[in-house]
Amino acid sequence: MISDFIITNVDREILGPLIQRLPDKIFDIDSHIYRMTDIGEQSEPYHDGPSEVTVDEWKTQMSPLIGKPPEGGLHLTPPTEKEDQLPAANRFLISQLKTDPARRGVVM
Protein backbone atom coordinates (compact mmCIF):
# COMPACT_ATOMS: atom_id res chain seq x y z
CA MET A 1 0.00 0.00 0.00
CA ILE A 2 1.24 3.46 -0.82
CA SER A 3 2.23 5.27 2.37
CA ASP A 4 4.35 8.26 3.17
CA PHE A 5 4.06 9.23 -0.51
CA ILE A 6 6.45 6.40 -1.50
CA ILE A 7 5.54 3.84 -4.16
CA THR A 8 6.98 0.41 -3.46
CA ASN A 9 7.75 -2.46 -5.86
CA VAL A 10 4.58 -4.19 -4.65
CA ASP A 11 2.61 -1.04 -5.51
CA ARG A 12 4.15 -1.05 -9.00
CA GLU A 13 3.17 -4.70 -9.52
CA ILE A 14 -0.41 -3.94 -8.56
CA LEU A 15 -0.60 -0.67 -10.52
CA GLY A 16 0.84 -2.07 -13.78
CA PRO A 17 -2.23 -4.00 -14.97
CA LEU A 18 -4.58 -1.31 -13.68
CA ILE A 19 -2.79 1.48 -15.53
CA GLN A 20 -3.23 -0.39 -18.81
CA ARG A 21 -7.01 -0.23 -18.36
CA LEU A 22 -7.19 3.52 -17.74
CA PRO A 23 -8.46 5.91 -20.41
CA ASP A 24 -6.01 8.02 -22.40
CA LYS A 25 -7.05 11.21 -20.62
CA ILE A 26 -7.63 11.47 -16.89
CA PHE A 27 -9.12 14.38 -14.97
CA ASP A 28 -8.47 14.08 -11.23
CA ILE A 29 -11.59 15.24 -9.38
CA ASP A 30 -10.21 15.25 -5.84
CA SER A 31 -6.72 16.59 -5.41
CA HIS A 32 -5.19 18.92 -2.86
CA ILE A 33 -2.82 21.78 -3.64
CA TYR A 34 -1.22 23.25 -0.53
CA ARG A 35 1.72 24.54 1.45
CA MET A 36 2.18 23.10 4.91
CA THR A 37 2.90 26.57 6.25
CA ASP A 38 -0.65 27.56 5.21
CA ILE A 39 -2.57 24.53 6.48
CA GLY A 40 -0.61 23.68 9.63
CA GLU A 41 2.43 21.49 10.08
CA GLN A 42 0.49 18.70 11.83
CA SER A 43 -2.34 18.38 9.29
CA GLU A 44 -3.05 14.69 8.60
CA PRO A 45 -2.15 13.05 6.24
CA TYR A 46 -0.31 15.89 4.54
CA HIS A 47 2.57 16.12 7.03
CA ASP A 48 4.00 12.88 5.60
CA GLY A 49 4.31 14.33 2.11
CA PRO A 50 5.98 17.30 0.46
CA SER A 51 5.94 20.61 2.32
CA GLU A 52 4.50 22.25 -0.80
CA VAL A 53 2.30 20.65 -3.44
CA THR A 54 2.08 22.83 -6.54
CA VAL A 55 0.28 21.80 -9.72
CA ASP A 56 3.63 20.56 -11.06
CA GLU A 57 4.28 18.52 -7.91
CA TRP A 58 0.75 17.07 -8.11
CA LYS A 59 1.45 15.94 -11.70
CA THR A 60 4.72 14.37 -10.55
CA GLN A 61 3.01 12.54 -7.69
CA MET A 62 0.11 11.32 -9.85
CA SER A 63 2.11 10.15 -12.88
CA PRO A 64 3.36 6.86 -11.37
CA LEU A 65 -0.14 6.06 -10.13
CA ILE A 66 -1.86 6.49 -13.50
CA GLY A 67 1.03 5.98 -15.93
CA LYS A 68 1.09 9.56 -17.23
CA PRO A 69 0.44 13.10 -16.01
CA PRO A 70 -3.26 13.84 -15.55
CA GLU A 71 -4.89 16.08 -18.17
CA GLY A 72 -6.53 18.28 -15.58
CA GLY A 73 -7.88 18.40 -12.09
CA LEU A 74 -10.37 19.75 -9.63
CA HIS A 75 -8.11 21.00 -6.87
CA LEU A 76 -9.20 21.66 -3.32
CA THR A 77 -7.85 23.56 -0.37
CA PRO A 78 -7.31 20.91 2.31
CA PRO A 79 -8.64 21.39 5.83
CA THR A 80 -6.55 23.74 7.93
CA GLU A 81 -5.65 23.38 11.61
CA LYS A 82 -7.04 26.85 12.37
CA GLU A 83 -9.73 28.89 10.65
CA ASP A 84 -7.45 31.92 10.23
CA GLN A 85 -5.10 29.82 8.03
CA LEU A 86 -7.76 29.34 5.36
CA PRO A 87 -7.29 32.65 3.48
CA ALA A 88 -3.59 31.96 2.84
CA ALA A 89 -4.34 28.38 1.78
CA ASN A 90 -7.00 29.64 -0.63
CA ARG A 91 -4.67 32.28 -2.09
CA PHE A 92 -2.02 29.64 -2.76
CA LEU A 93 -4.56 27.38 -4.46
CA ILE A 94 -5.81 30.25 -6.63
CA SER A 95 -2.24 31.19 -7.62
CA GLN A 96 -1.69 27.60 -8.77
CA LEU A 97 -4.94 27.46 -10.73
CA LYS A 98 -3.74 30.40 -12.80
CA THR A 99 -0.80 28.32 -14.10
CA ASP A 100 -2.91 26.04 -16.29
CA PRO A 101 -6.31 26.47 -17.97
CA ALA A 102 -7.17 22.76 -17.47
CA ARG A 103 -7.33 23.29 -13.70
CA ARG A 104 -10.40 24.01 -11.62
CA GLY A 105 -10.62 24.64 -7.92
CA VAL A 106 -12.77 24.74 -4.84
CA VAL A 107 -11.85 27.16 -2.09
CA MET A 108 -13.17 26.90 1.44
Side-chain angles (χ1 to χ4, degrees):
M1 179 179 173
I2 298 169
S3 63
D4 297 330
F5 294 79
I6 297 170
I7 298 175
T8 67
N9 288 335
V10 172
D11 297 323
R12 286 185 190 87
E13 288 178 31
I14 293 168
L15 289 169
L18 298 174
I19 287 171
Q20 294 173 6
R21 299 184 68 146
L22 293 174
D24 291 336
K25 294 182 180 183
I26 295 180
F27 187 91
D28 184 354
I29 63 166
D30 184 13
S31 64
H32 298 273
I33 303 296
Y34 62 88
R35 290 182 300 205
M36 290 304 297
T37 55
D38 295 334
I39 66 172
E41 297 295 329
Q42 298 305 313
S43 293
E44 294 278 348
Y46 310 101
H47 69 342
D48 288 335
S51 61
E52 181 174 291
V53 177
T54 62
V55 168
D56 288 340
E57 177 64 23
W58 162 75
K59 287 180 189 178
T60 298
Q61 294 285 334
M62 288 300 297
S63 292
L65 299 175
I66 61 176
K68 59 191 156 286
E71 291 288 318
L74 176 62
H75 305 294
L76 311 163
T77 300
T80 58
E81 288 180 351
K82 299 176 185 169
E83 187 176 324
D84 65 349
Q85 293 170 306
L86 210 45
N90 286 334
R91 281 191 299 276
F92 180 70
L93 172 60
I94 291 166
S95 75
Q96 289 298 300
L97 295 175
K98 292 178 180 178
T99 67
D100 190 324
R103 312 286 165 236
R104 300 293 181 263
V106 176
V107 294
M108 306 287 184

